[in-house]
């Protein structure tokens, strides 16, 4: 017993201790990895929490890409860095984004007044002012062809009732105003002998 069994038993117990120590170290390492992963996920959740700077209605920033494809923000959508995901419209600072053809863009300047009609409110005429005109045209796509258009922002005056984000609008920018001018239908005007005549309607 002293010469063989005791030595064999001691060797086995020492081996079991070393095995238990190795298993404990492995479990500690695995636990630390889980703790690190939990901290990372917790940090990501915190970073993904978007807090609005003010009260309002959150609107998904759905938009069209350069290739004419619609970018729909929804659960599971892949987004890039600095890509708009949501918008928080301010009902007191509404504006219209319109496109001006290159043939007319030279006549449009910041500060010009404009009239806006909304498809949702056909009987209401809103007033506004041009606040920005892009220096460069928007990227063309298959549908627009070679037609160059410049993005122009028109700020709407006041907060009309029924106004909400995403509505379709028609914008008329007042490039020039002539006071006390007589207007007649174009069908009444004709040229003869180098002079312009207007014939009254019967």
């Amino acid at each position: 017993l002293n010469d063989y069994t005791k030595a064999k038993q001691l060797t086995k117990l020492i081996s079991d201790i070393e095995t238990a120590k190795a298993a404990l170290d492995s479990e500690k390492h695995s636990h630390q990895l889980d703790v690190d992963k939990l901290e990372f996920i917790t940090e990501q959740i915190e970073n993904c929490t978007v807090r609005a700077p003010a009260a309002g209605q959150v609107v998904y920033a759905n938009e069209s890409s350069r290739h004419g494809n619609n970018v729909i923000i929804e659960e599971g959508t892949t987004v890039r860095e600095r890509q708009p995901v949501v918008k928080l419209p301010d009902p007191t600072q509404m504006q219209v984004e319109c496109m001006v053809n290159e043939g007319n863009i030279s006549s449009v300047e910041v500060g010009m007044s404009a009239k806006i009609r909304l498809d949702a409110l056909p009987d209401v005429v809103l007033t506004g002012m041009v606040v920005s005109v892009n220096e460069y045209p928007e990227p063309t796509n298959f549908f627009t062809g070679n037609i160059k258009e410049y993005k122009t922002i028109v700020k709407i005056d006041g907060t009309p009732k029924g106004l909400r984000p995403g509505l379709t609008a028609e914008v008329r920018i007042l490039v020039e105003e002539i006071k006390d001018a007589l207007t007649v239908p174009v069908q009444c005007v004709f040229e003869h002998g180098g002079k312009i005549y207007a014939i009254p309607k019967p």
Side-chain angles (χ1 to χ4, degrees):
L1 291 175
N2 288 331
D3 295 338
Y4 300 104
T5 304
K6 179 181 178 181
K8 181 180 179 181
Q9 190 68 22
L10 287 175
T11 302
K12 182 178 181 304
L13 292 175
I14 293 173
S15 177
D16 291 342
I17 292 173
E18 295 299 329
T19 301
K21 287 182 178 180
L24 178 61
D25 292 340
S26 177
E27 291 298 330
K28 286 183 178 180
H29 180 68
S30 178
H31 175 263
Q32 186 59 44
L33 291 177
D34 290 339
V35 170
D36 294 341
K37 184 176 181 181
L38 176 60
E39 292 178 353
F40 175 76
I41 294 176
T42 303
E43 182 182 359
Q44 291 300 307
I45 293 175
E46 179 65 24
N47 292 338
C48 290
T49 302
V50 180
R51 294 178 175 84
Q57 180 183 9
V58 177
V59 179
Y60 284 126
N62 299 330
E63 56 185 14
S64 298
S65 66
R66 294 183 178 181
H67 304 289
N69 300 323
N70 292 330
V71 179
I72 306 299
I73 303 300
E74 58 185 1
E75 185 177 356
T77 301
T78 301
V79 295
R80 66 180 186 278
E81 184 179 3
R82 297 184 180 278
Q83 176 183 346
V85 179
V86 295
K87 296 180 180 179
L88 193 68
D90 184 355
T92 63
Q93 300 290 331
M94 299 295 283
Q95 59 187 22
V96 182
E97 179 183 294
C98 58
M99 298 296 176
V100 179
N101 187 278
E102 62 178 332
N104 301 321
I105 193 62
S106 60
S107 301
V108 179
E109 298 178 357
V110 173
M112 288 183 172
S113 58
K115 293 183 179 180
I116 305 109
R117 288 184 180 271
L118 303 177
D119 289 355
L121 304 171
D123 298 330
V124 178
V125 179
L126 307 177
T127 59
M129 183 180 67
V130 177
V131 293
S132 71
V133 180
N134 280 10
E135 293 291 334
Y136 301 97
E138 293 297 295
T140 58
N141 54 44
F142 175 78
F143 300 100
T144 59
N146 295 324
I147 300 176
K148 294 187 174 72
E149 294 180 323
Y150 294 76
K151 182 185 295 186
T152 302
I153 304 298
V154 177
K155 182 180 178 182
I156 299 176
D157 298 332
T159 310
K161 185 178 180 181
L163 189 63
R164 62 184 61 190
L167 295 179
T168 303
E170 175 189 288
V171 180
R172 294 187 177 184
I173 300 174
L174 305 180
V175 176
E176 185 180 1
E177 182 179 2
I178 301 177
K179 297 183 179 180
D180 300 328
L182 178 64
T183 59
V184 296
V186 67
Q187 295 84 357
C188 298
V189 180
F190 75 101
E191 180 182 0
H192 178 71
K195 295 183 178 180
I196 304 296
Y197 296 89
I199 300 177
K201 294 178 65 176

